[in-house]
Amino acid sequence: MAMKVYDAWKVSSNLQRIVEKKRLYREPRSSADVEAVLGEYKETIDRLSNLNPSEGQTSQNGAVVLALVGGKISKGLNFSDGVG
């Protein structure tokens, strides 16, 4: 289902509009990759949160994780840690 949504967004150009503003992460197929994806997501949030406007310009101002409720990634999100 998530792949169908992703593909529909890609065809409609909604995906391009999202990635112009946000770094996009997708739930991995393998449970073994969840830690790495969440780590990269957290690094992106931290880096963009601490970015001084005078230091390198970026059009991205955050990150988005596409995941299924009850899926592999949603079990690793903790909304109290500033990442969820």
Side-chain angles (χ1 to χ4, degrees), residues 13-80:
S13 77
N14 286 333
L15 187 61
Q16 182 59 37
R17 290 177 32 218
I18 292 170
V19 297
E20 286 173 3
K21 297 289 181 187
K22 307 286 182 191
R23 173 72 166 91
L24 183 67
Y25 295 93
R26 293 170 57 187
E27 184 171 62
R29 291 184 187 264
S30 169
S31 296
D33 297 329
V34 169
E35 282 288 324
V37 170
L38 288 176
E40 288 177 37
Y41 171 72
K42 182 175 183 346
E43 285 176 17
T44 299
I45 295 295
D46 291 344
R47 181 176 43 83
L48 292 174
S49 295
N50 296 322
L51 191 64
N52 184 334
S54 63
E55 300 172 1
Q57 293 292 330
T58 180
S59 62
Q60 293 179 330
N61 61 6
V64 174
V65 176
L66 299 179
L68 297 174
V69 173
K72 294 177 226 59
I73 264 191
S74 66
K75 294 174 184 165
L77 288 179
N78 178 355
F79 289 98
S80 66

